[in-house]
């Protein structure tokens, strides 16, 4: 009896492996075709200065439009990373930003766009060249760009640290994204120099839950202060959260309270309307 069961298990294991391999290669082909057909597009979620509530920048977030539906990044970025195809998406995202940014800067020359990078992106020199090409565009200065990578990317890796240093030497600030979840061993990321800490939504969510917020948020704020980092809070949905963050000296935030991610056209329209207010509020 054991022999047939063993054979059966072996056969089904082989079958499952082949099936998975087929699924993966069909994903690879779909992704490559999507890049060719330009099915990716970018939305921009405004980042506000908490004190003035001015829109000082935005985070570029990729979306995939396929078969009349929009696929969220959480559903394809992890697989693209696993298949080492993420650079194809990053290239497309950066070229889309190159189209949008000059128009946005005509409205607000100081506007800053944050770009998400994956660990693979931080291992390749071409990422530095792509950022350099953005800086070569008319009106684009290093202060108009920011780069985000999750803590996952900040593990000890010579290649990553070299690319990060090159990005920083272009004058572009680097942010640790989703700070606090996962690999939050500061000792491991301590050897990289970065400028900004983005506090993950899970922590912002604790605000308003009876003291929990202070216990969780204050240590993070202390760490940031001691390392001389700027803080951006993400996933702010309620006014109470915005007030709390501002009271603790956090400068910038993003979240549905202020705005959902917008198309470049919608962002520009909004910025144009707000630019009148900005003149009146100038300090
Ligand atoms: P992230 O970098 O942490 O981006 C913030 C995510 O939070 C976005 O999800 C945004 O739409 C969502 N969000 C913002 N405000 C709120 C809020 O108030 N409430 C709630 N519930 N959610 C909010 P999205 O667009 O689905 O992106 C998911 C993740 O995919 C991003 O997380 C980022 O890690 C990754 N991603 C997005 N675009 C790119 C890209 O161009 N390249 C790479 N490598 N990764 C990207
Ligand atoms: Mg991000
Ligand atoms: Mg984030
Ligand atoms: Mg996040």
């Amino acid at each position: 009896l054991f022999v047939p069961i063993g054979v059966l298990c072996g056969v089904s294991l082989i079958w499952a492996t082949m099936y998975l391999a087929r699924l993966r290669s069909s994903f690879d082909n779909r992704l490559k075709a999507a890049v060719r057909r330009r099915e990716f597009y970018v939305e921009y979620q405004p980042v506000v200065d908490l004190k003035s509530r001015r829109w000082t920048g935005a985070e570029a977030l990729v979306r995939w439009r396929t078969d009349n539906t929009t696929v969220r990044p959480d559903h394809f970025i992890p697989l693209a990373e696993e298949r080492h195809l993420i650079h194809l998406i990053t290239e497309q995202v950066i070229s889309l930003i190159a189209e949008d940014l000059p128009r946005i800067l005509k409205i607000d020359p100081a506007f800053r766009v944050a770009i998400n990078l994956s660990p693979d992106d931080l291992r390749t020199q071409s990422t530095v060249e792509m950022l350099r090409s953005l800086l070569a565009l008319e009106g684009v200065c290093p202060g108009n760009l920011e780069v985000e990578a999750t803590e996952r990317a900040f593990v000890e890796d010579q290649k990553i640290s070299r690319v990060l240093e090159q990005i920083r030497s272009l004058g572009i600030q680097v942010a640790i994204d989703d700070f606090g979840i996962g690999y939050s061993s500061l000792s491991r990321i301590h050897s990289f120099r970065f400028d900004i800490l983005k506090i993950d939504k899970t922590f912002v969510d604790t605000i308003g839950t009876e003291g929990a917020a202070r216990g969780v948020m204050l240590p993070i704020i202390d760490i940031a202060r001691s390392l001389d980092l700027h803080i951006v809070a993400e996933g702010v949905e309620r006014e109470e959260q915005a007030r709390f963050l501002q009271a603790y000296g956090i400068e910038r935030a993003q979240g549905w309270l202020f705005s959902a991610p917008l198309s470049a056209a919608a962002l520009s329209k909004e910025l144009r309307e707000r630019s009148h207010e900005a003149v009146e509020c100038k300090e």
Side-chain angles (χ1 to χ4, degrees), residues 15-25:
W15 183 82
T17 312
M18 279 166 59
Y19 179 72
L20 267 180
R22 272 239 308 281
L23 263 186
R24 291 215 177 91
S25 80

Side-chain angles (χ1 to χ4, degrees), residues 59 116 148 177-179 198-200 234 254:
E59 176 175 6
N116 288 286
E148 299 184 7
D177 203 357
D178 301 342
F179 183 79
K198 289 195 86 170
I199 300 182
D200 194 66
E234 58 180 28
Q254 64 190 88

Side-chain angles (χ1 to χ4, degrees), residues 195-211:
D195 312 277
I196 300 152
L197 214 138
K198 289 195 86 170
I199 300 182
D200 194 66
K201 181 179 184 301
T202 37
F203 295 103
V204 174
D205 284 342
T206 66
I207 298 172
T209 53
E210 291 299 308

Side-chain angles (χ1 to χ4, degrees), residues 158-230:
Q158 283 300 316
K159 276 190 193 157
I160 285 181
S161 106
R162 201 175 329 122
V163 170
L164 274 174
E165 273 314 308
Q166 282 178 290
I167 292 173
R168 289 186 81 246
S169 70
L170 292 175
I172 298 173
Q173 292 198 328
V174 173
I176 296 198
D177 203 357
D178 301 342
F179 183 79
I181 55 170
Y183 299 75
S184 63
S185 159
L186 262 177
S187 54
R188 278 168 93 189
I189 53 182
H190 198 71
S191 50
F192 294 106
R193 279 187 290 158
F194 45 89
D195 312 277
I196 300 152
L197 214 138
K198 289 195 86 170
I199 300 182
D200 194 66
K201 181 179 184 301
T202 37
F203 295 103
V204 174
D205 284 342
T206 66
I207 298 172
T209 53
E210 291 299 308
R214 277 177 195 82
V216 179
M217 298 280 294
L218 296 190
I220 298 178
I221 297 170
D222 281 346
I223 290 172
R225 293 264 154 74
S226 69
L227 295 174
D228 207 16
L229 302 170
H230 299 284

Side-chain angles (χ1 to χ4, degrees), residues 76-269:
F76 61 90
I77 296 279
L79 202 49
E81 287 178 343
E82 188 194 313
R83 304 298 295 155
H84 296 291
L85 292 172
I86 189 71
H87 66 283
L88 294 176
I89 295 176
T90 305
E91 268 167 37
Q92 191 130 95
V93 165
I94 291 182
S95 81
L96 290 164
I97 292 172
E99 288 168 23
D100 296 332
L101 192 57
R103 257 173 285 170
I104 294 171
L105 295 184
K106 284 219 174 80
I107 307 164
D108 179 358
F111 202 76
R112 174 183 281 206
V113 170
I115 305 169
N116 288 286
L117 296 178
S118 293
D120 266 7
D121 297 320
L122 295 176
R123 286 192 194 94
T124 55
Q125 183 65 32
S126 63
T127 306
V128 181
E129 303 318 322
M130 285 189 272
L131 293 170
R132 218 192 287 278
S133 74
L134 279 182
L135 290 175
L137 296 172
E138 201 183 314
V140 181
C141 303
N144 295 125
L145 299 175
E146 187 175 299
V147 151
E148 299 184 7
T150 58
E151 292 170 60
R152 205 162 41 89
F154 288 88
V155 292
E156 300 294 344
D157 185 322
Q158 283 300 316
K159 276 190 193 157
I160 285 181
S161 106
R162 201 175 329 122
V163 170
L164 274 174
E165 273 314 308
Q166 282 178 290
I167 292 173
R168 289 186 81 246
S169 70
L170 292 175
I172 298 173
Q173 292 198 328
V174 173
I176 296 198
D177 203 357
D178 301 342
F179 183 79
I181 55 170
Y183 299 75
S184 63
S185 159
L186 262 177
S187 54
R188 278 168 93 189
I189 53 182
H190 198 71
S191 50
F192 294 106
R193 279 187 290 158
F194 45 89
D195 312 277
I196 300 152
L197 214 138
K198 289 195 86 170
I199 300 182
D200 194 66
K201 181 179 184 301
T202 37
F203 295 103
V204 174
D205 284 342
T206 66
I207 298 172
T209 53
E210 291 299 308
R214 277 177 195 82
V216 179
M217 298 280 294
L218 296 190
I220 298 178
I221 297 170
D222 281 346
I223 290 172
R225 293 264 154 74
S226 69
L227 295 174
D228 207 16
L229 302 170
H230 299 284
I231 302 178
V232 180
E234 58 180 28
V236 178
E237 294 179 349
R238 290 176 285 120
E239 184 57 43
E240 177 196 13
Q241 297 170 326
R243 289 221 192 90
F244 178 98
L245 295 164
Q246 199 201 325
Y248 285 96
I250 290 170
E251 302 121 318
R252 288 184 288 163
Q254 64 190 88
W256 295 345
L257 173 66
F258 313 110
S259 174
L262 302 171
S263 68
L267 174 72
S268 296
K269 183 170 178 281

